[in-house]
Amino acid sequence: MKRLLIWLIRIYQKYISPMSRPHCRYYPTCSNYTLQAVQKHGALKGIIMGIARILRCNPFVRGGVDPVPDFFTIFRNPHPEDYEDEIITAKFHPNTTKVKE
């Protein structure tokens, strides 16, 4: 089942996706996210995660970086760029702390 889903996603990416303009708000794209989720978590959990991601990909969300997590969840991961900002701030300005909004 897992190999069949991976094959279907790759067929979509190669033949169907190029016919429409790019419009995914996330990185990796929704099809790549689903492919990685199926590879990492198996067919059932991967498809559930992919469907949840596709439902989140709409004009009312900010988008951005959203990698496949190491654990099963249908919710979005926190923005990795927020953590990168904290690491950079701590490295160059050790006496300051970032205030969460």
Side-chain angles (χ1 to χ4, degrees):
M1 183 69 165
K2 183 177 173 178
R3 289 187 353 196
L4 175 66
L5 287 172
I6 291 170
W7 180 77
L8 289 172
I9 293 167
R10 292 196 185 195
I11 291 294
Y12 166 80
Q13 289 176 333
K14 187 171 183 177
Y15 297 108
I16 298 171
S17 181
M19 290 190 283
S20 66
R21 63 178 177 80
H23 55 274
C24 190
R25 299 180 161 286
Y26 289 105
Y27 178 82
T29 63
C30 293
S31 62
N32 281 328
Y33 181 93
T34 305
L35 182 66
Q36 292 172 14
V38 168
Q39 290 171 337
K40 189 179 258 188
H41 298 289
L44 183 61
K45 288 181 180 179
I47 282 296
I48 292 171
M49 291 174 76
I51 290 170
R53 168 68 176 275
I54 291 167
L55 292 174
R56 288 194 308 262
C57 190
N58 62 65
F60 303 108
V61 297
R62 182 171 102 182
V65 178
D66 184 28
V68 177
D70 292 331
F71 55 91
F72 172 76
T73 181
I74 60 170
F75 301 107
R76 181 180 181 171
N77 291 322
H79 286 284
E81 58 265 23
D82 289 344
Y83 298 111
E84 289 174 13
D85 289 345
E86 288 177 7
I87 292 168
I88 292 169
T89 302
K91 183 176 180 180
F92 293 105
H93 305 286
N95 296 331
T96 61
T97 57
K98 184 177 178 182
V99 177
K100 291 281 184 184
E101 297 176 31

